[in-house]
Amino acid sequence: MALSRNPRCAFCNSSNEGHLSRCAACSVVHYCNRDRQAAHRDAHKRVCNVIKKALQALDKEEEDLRAHPGDWMTPPNLFEESVGHFWGIHETRPYMRSRYAVVEAYLAIDTYAAVEAARSNLADMLRLCRGDNMGVRDLVPAILLRLGRDQECYDFCKWYATTGSEGDYDWGDMDLGFLDVKDADVFEPLVEGFLSKHGDLSFTVALTLLNIRLLLDLQALQNSSAIGHKVPQEILDRVRNQLVTTVVHNNAKIMNSADQTPLIKEIEKQVQALYTKAQQQNKHFWPVLLKPEADLGARPNSYSPRSPQRMEKVWNYSYNSWKETPGAIEMIRKLQKSNAS
């Protein structure tokens, strides 16, 4: 089930007509009232404490960095004067590690607020360290998909596949554009960088899911056209608007088209191309996506691109985005069968 922007009580799943209160410690879980929060305390306590401790550790690291007077290795006023260069400055590394620990703590909770908090922290980590020595960019596409921000996901991936892949791009030059692709055409032919031999599995998997979402939306619109003559246009338009995600909904040409067949065929080709690319990048990923193993909770620190360990890391980043997209995993299952025959 997809994440909902509208919070619900973690104990009874009620929206309580919008009258919910946040957990004061983690701020990403909601409750109808104190009684429901008390009843849910045993289930929530562990992850809540992890978030609380991670935030306290981060506050301490930030306090220490801001108090640093500067020396021959560390400039003063790091948060004002060294944006973009963190990690390259050794003293910033404990802070960046603590920031990542906060991200992981938030991602242990499946609420919109928690996933958004993780995204916000990752965005700031990339702002502080453009070169991304920690590789946190790998988490971002799947998180954006979980939040229903498909356009931003595509823009993010396209920037890294174009400008971010240029050999002469100077990551240390703060005057250069960074992650500045906005509102790119999600329906355009696949960018060459998406299928490059240097492409990353986490991006390919996210782009596959993004295209599957487009395909599912287009198929839903096509199916709705079959009932068009049976219901008033006003009702049909309302139904069609509820069938699709924001990217499709915002495309007037697609929404007003009575026949999605040509575009469906093009997106099917793109899904196939991305599926094949991911299979080439790591043959372990698709089989495990279809049949997850019980021990896939680990976070391996070292791996080669085609290894089971790399598959495991990307699976941990991305599985929830697939699980929360109805029909997506089944589409991969059909692709696997058709490619095997």
Side-chain angles (χ1 to χ4, degrees):
M1 180 180 295
L3 291 176
S4 172
R5 287 176 176 266
N6 302 316
R8 290 184 171 273
C9 175
F11 180 75
C12 69
N13 200 39
S14 169
S15 65
N16 199 27
E17 297 181 349
H19 300 296
L20 298 171
S21 58
R22 290 176 183 260
C23 169
C26 70
S27 298
V28 294
V29 171
H30 294 77
Y31 295 99
C32 293
N33 52 51
R34 290 185 178 181
D35 290 341
R36 299 288 168 85
Q37 184 171 3
H40 193 246
R41 182 58 186 163
D42 287 345
H44 179 57
K45 179 169 59 177
R46 186 187 67 78
V47 290
C48 185
N49 284 338
V50 170
I51 291 174
K52 184 178 179 180
K53 290 178 181 178
L55 289 171
Q56 290 172 344
L58 177 62
D59 287 345
K60 178 64 168 61
E61 293 294 346
E62 181 170 343
E63 182 182 337
D64 290 348
L65 267 189
R66 290 189 180 278
H68 198 292
D71 54 35
W72 68 281
M73 290 185 65
T74 307
N77 303 318
L78 285 162
F79 287 94
E80 290 75 31
E81 305 298 332
S82 299
V83 170
H85 302 288
F86 274 47
W87 195 268
I89 303 167
H90 192 271
E91 292 292 330
T92 66
R93 294 182 183 183
Y95 168 83
M96 295 295 279
R97 292 190 184 101
S98 291
R99 198 80 187 258
Y100 187 72
V102 168
V103 170
E104 289 207 309
Y106 278 130
L107 290 178
I109 297 180
D110 290 332
T111 65
Y112 191 96
V115 177
E116 169 56 24
R119 183 211 62 80
S120 178
N121 276 274
L122 289 169
D124 204 47
M125 291 178 74
L126 289 171
R127 181 184 68 87
L128 292 171
C129 182
R130 285 191 177 188
D132 189 25
N133 302 72
M134 298 178 70
V136 301
R137 65 184 177 276
D138 288 355
L139 284 75
V140 175
I143 285 177
L144 289 171
L145 290 174
R146 294 189 69 190
L147 294 170
R149 294 159 74 161
D150 295 23
Q151 179 66 60
E152 291 179 56
C153 174
Y154 185 76
D155 293 341
F156 186 90
C157 292
K158 183 172 182 178
W159 188 89
Y160 274 105
T162 52
T163 305
S165 295
E166 294 173 358
D168 59 351
Y169 181 79
D170 185 354
W171 295 91
D173 186 348
M174 295 299 104
D175 292 328
L176 292 179
F178 179 64
L179 294 176
D180 54 357
V181 173
K182 304 297 179 186
D183 297 322
D185 183 4
V186 179
F187 296 94
E188 66 187 348
L190 289 176
V191 173
E192 183 178 351
F194 291 160
L195 302 177
S196 164
K197 65 179 181 180
H198 303 297
D200 187 87
L201 178 64
S202 61
F203 279 62
T204 307
V205 166
L207 286 164
T208 306
L209 178 56
L210 174 55
N211 274 268
I212 285 176
R213 287 185 173 190
L214 297 178
L215 184 55
L216 290 168
D217 280 359
L218 294 171
Q219 291 173 341
L221 287 178
Q222 186 76 347
N223 292 336
S224 71
S225 297
I227 63 169
H229 63 285
K230 300 179 181 178
V231 297
Q233 187 63 41
E234 181 182 353
I235 295 177
L236 178 63
D237 289 343
R238 193 177 307 162
V239 170
R240 287 164 65 88
N241 288 336
Q242 293 176 349
L243 287 174
V244 298
T245 54
T246 304
V247 171
V248 175
H249 180 269
N250 291 341
N251 190 309
K253 182 178 179 180
I254 292 174
M255 293 299 294
N256 294 329
S257 174
D259 184 13
Q260 310 295 338
T261 304
L263 190 52
I264 286 174
K265 290 182 178 179
E266 286 303 312
I267 300 300
E268 284 176 339
K269 291 177 183 177
Q270 294 193 17
V271 169
Q272 177 63 64
L274 290 164
Y275 170 89
T276 301
K277 185 61 184 177
Q279 182 71 8
Q280 293 169 350
Q281 289 171 332
N282 193 301
K283 66 180 182 181
H284 308 285
F285 186 83
W286 296 128
V288 172
L289 180 72
L290 298 179
K291 192 176 180 181
E293 299 171 3
D295 59 348
L296 280 174
R299 297 276 200 271
N301 292 319
S302 60
Y303 49 80
S304 60
R306 291 178 169 79
S307 67
Q309 290 77 23
R310 177 58 178 161
M311 170 276 297
E312 187 168 359
K313 195 150 192 172
V314 175
W315 185 93
N316 277 297
Y317 293 160
S318 59
Y319 180 67
N320 282 334
S321 63
W322 287 84
K323 182 179 66 175
E324 291 161 2
T325 304
I329 293 178
E330 184 57 33
M331 190 166 287
I332 292 296
R333 196 181 311 279
K334 291 177 181 178
L335 268 175
Q336 189 179 59
K337 289 181 178 179
S338 65
N339 280 269
S341 60

